[in-house]
Amino acid sequence: FILPAMPFFCVIELFSRTFYAKGQPRVPMYAALGGILANFTVGAVLTSLDVFDIGAVGLASAAGQAVSALVLIIFALVRFKGLFNKNTVFKIIKIAFGGIIVFAICAVLSHLVASEPYDASLLTNVWKAAAIFLPSAVAYLIYARLVRIKFD
């Protein structure tokens, strides 16, 4: 459940730095507090429902990241007029779709090479990580080239 939280983490990093640069440090603080509250709440609910495994921890963390990112996006829309125009939204959709493709590839490959990481050797775990990462990275680079995502 932690992997879907990664795009939210990216949004948090981007907008937190933007607000700090604009001299508005309270906004990231509000976002962090909202995220902590969401993380705690989801964790408490899952614990009370006896869903207490590593997936529950990931889900609680993902909920916190999502809430923090949402708070930052809402404040950005209000405070930075014209931030999201048609062109920017289209670029975001292209990048997000590429992320979905990579997530799907990672999920399939993870399932294909799945085993307990604690039972495998370091070399086996490194091989599995490479077997998941490399095809995903290549697929994203091909996708980025096809839809003309620029990395400058």
Side-chain angles (χ1 to χ4, degrees), residues 3 97-113 128 130-143:
L3 188 59
F97 187 69
I100 291 167
I101 291 170
V102 169
F103 174 75
I105 293 170
C106 285
V108 169
L109 292 175
S110 294
H111 184 69
L112 291 175
V113 298
K128 288 179 182 182
I132 294 167
F133 171 75
L134 291 174
S136 302
V138 168
Y140 185 78
L141 290 173
I142 292 169
Y143 169 78

Side-chain angles (χ1 to χ4, degrees), residues 32-82:
L33 289 173
I36 291 167
L37 184 60
N39 189 328
F40 174 79
T41 303
V42 171
V45 167
L46 293 175
T47 302
S48 70
L49 296 174
D50 288 332
V51 184
F52 193 71
D53 65 355
I54 196 68
V57 173
L59 186 59
S61 179
Q65 297 283 328
V67 168
S68 291
L70 184 63
V71 169
L72 288 168
I73 289 170
I74 290 170
F75 270 96
L77 287 170
V78 171
R79 300 225 174 146
F80 308 138
K81 300 295 181 197

Side-chain angles (χ1 to χ4, degrees), residues 14-25:
L14 175 69
F15 283 114
S16 290
R17 294 170 194 272
T18 303
F19 281 107
Y20 289 131
K22 294 282 191 178
Q24 300 177 25

